[in-house]
Amino acid sequence: MQPILFDIENLTHCYADGTIALRNLSITVKQGKKIAILGNNGAGKSTLLLHLNGILQPTNGTIRFKGKEVKYDRKSLLSLRKHVGIVFQDPDSQLFSANVIQDIAFGPQNLGLPKEEVLRKANPFFKLRTKKTRAIAGVLAMDPEIVILDEPTAGLDSYFSKQIMKVLDHIQKQGKTIILSTHDVNLAYQWADEIIIMHDGEILCYGDPVTVFKQAHLIRKAHLDAPWVMETFQFLVQEKFFSANEAIPQNKEELFQKISSIKSWNLGKISG
Ligand SMILES: Nc1ncnc2c1ncn2[C@@H]1O[C@H](COP(=O)(O)OP(=O)(O)O)[C@@H](O)[C@H]1O
Ligand SMILES: [Mg+2]
């Protein structure tokens, strides 16, 4: 059983203009997971993420980090932010400098890390070269235990998106916890260990990708589509290429493997 990093209880957030962005939301986040928060524009994803490193404070409810309630004095926040790095949705709010090296070194230097260590940590990410990827590199260079990314692939072409996801997989394998938001159901379905579906400030469901996307009525309620891998597989089940008991594939490779197995039976559709 992995230790719990965040324990959020009955979190409500109301912005100054009266908009209620989060409604009585509760969730726990375990260490070492790849977590995707899915939801349409305005669902509350950014608002939730901004609470995780203390940029926003709850209007109501509590947030515990490693068992201790988050405090908002300067010292407590600095300590929280050493553990929890965040890449904002808008890279402009992250990048203060036009110079790549300065951007990447800015974070660690802020935390008082020596220059040599900064460059060593920043180095693997120099090849990431758009505004967004530089913002991501800047946060990764701080080497936080938990990396939060608000729509990391939005507005990027598929080449850069894949590069980012590769880097994230790599650091997760080193024991980090990754929490990202996206409205890309295919990315979330194939990448995540756990998915949180948000809609109108609430969590509609939470769990492993297959379990979450099987709840078609909730996916519809959140105005999301089914992932193509799952939809294709479900069509093949409906057409009786597979039995309904067959495990649902979670990615393209698993789906293709199952389709190849049909050929090896050499008789097409199963009976019944
Ligand atoms: N600074 C703000 N002031 C007032 N309302 C806001 C502010 N930021 C976001 N909202 C509102 O809060 C709700 C949730 O927004 P947000 O967390 O940005 O959702 P998402 O990231 O899922 O698109 C939306 O209704 C949005 O318009
Ligand atoms: Mg957002």
Side-chain angles (χ1 to χ4, degrees):
M1 184 88 167
Q2 298 284 15
I4 289 173
L5 293 178
F6 287 104
D7 186 4
I8 296 174
E9 238 178 308
N10 303 114
L11 173 62
T12 292
H13 189 84
C14 186
Y15 281 106
D17 67 355
T19 306
I20 301 173
L22 300 176
R23 300 164 196 272
N24 211 27
L25 170 160
S26 300
I27 196 147
T28 56
V29 173
K30 288 196 199 115
Q31 195 173 18
K33 300 273 182 203
K34 295 190 279 188
I35 301 166
I37 304 179
L38 259 174
N40 267 346
N41 293 336
K45 303 181 296 296
S46 297
T47 306
L48 175 58
L49 293 179
L50 291 171
H51 279 81
L52 298 183
N53 83 340
I55 292 168
L56 291 179
Q57 295 189 32
T59 307
N60 254 311
T62 54
I63 301 178
R64 270 179 237 107
F65 178 64
K66 295 189 176 177
K68 286 193 193 132
E69 194 164 333
V70 172
K71 294 201 203 102
Y72 297 90
D73 59 281
R74 222 184 108 74
K75 207 174 141 212
S76 309
L77 284 179
L78 192 65
S79 149
L80 175 69
R81 288 170 189 167
K82 272 189 189 173
H83 298 280
V84 187
I86 186 165
V87 180
F88 299 122
Q89 187 165 346
D90 171 15
D92 285 329
S93 55
Q94 194 115 36
L95 299 176
F96 310 103
S97 152
N99 178 296
V100 182
I101 295 179
Q102 269 177 27
D103 281 344
I104 293 175
F106 177 80
Q109 274 171 354
N110 239 10
L111 296 177
L113 299 177
K115 203 172 170 195
E116 221 167 87
E117 198 182 334
V118 168
L119 287 175
R120 185 176 58 76
K121 283 186 172 159
N123 203 27
F125 306 111
F126 274 140
K127 54 178 186 273
L128 299 174
R129 246 190 311 241
T130 69
K131 232 177 180 189
K132 188 88 177 194
T133 49
R134 274 161 47 191
I136 294 172
V139 169
L140 296 186
M142 285 190 272
D143 202 22
E145 188 184 330
I146 301 149
V147 184
I148 294 173
L149 307 102
D150 199 354
E151 309 229 10
T153 60
L156 291 182
D157 61 33
S158 93
Y159 172 76
F160 273 120
S161 297
K162 278 188 193 138
Q163 265 206 329
I164 287 177
M165 299 319 286
K166 246 192 221 163
V167 171
L168 296 183
D169 276 345
H170 177 72
I171 61 172
Q172 187 262 346
K173 286 201 182 93
Q174 297 173 332
K176 313 276 188 194
T177 305
I178 318 271
I179 307 172
L180 58 80
S181 75
T182 178
H183 46 245
D184 185 338
V185 292
N186 292 305
L187 181 147
Y189 183 75
Q190 300 197 40
W191 175 81
D193 298 319
E194 283 172 6
I195 290 181
I196 299 169
I197 304 274
M198 286 190 72
H199 176 63
D200 200 16
E202 294 178 323
I203 292 178
L204 288 187
C205 54
Y206 175 50
D208 69 89
V210 169
T211 308
V212 162
F213 276 100
K214 265 171 137 176
Q215 303 181 66
H217 61 293
L218 294 179
I219 303 305
R220 268 197 302 277
K221 186 174 172 191
H223 307 300
L224 296 170
D225 292 324
W228 75 263
V229 168
M230 186 182 234
E231 206 170 22
T232 304
F233 181 75
Q234 284 171 334
F235 177 75
L236 292 170
V237 169
Q238 187 193 312
E239 291 294 308
K240 307 227 185 304
F241 284 98
F242 297 109
S243 97
N245 306 325
E246 185 98 13
I248 300 174
Q250 206 198 313
N251 54 51
K252 187 169 82 175
E253 289 74 25
E254 285 178 22
L255 174 66
F256 288 177
Q257 210 171 3
K258 280 183 192 288
I259 293 174
S260 302
S261 74
I262 302 175
K263 193 176 65 186
S264 69
W265 301 341
N266 207 17
L267 35 71
K269 297 184 181 190
I270 57 171
S271 54

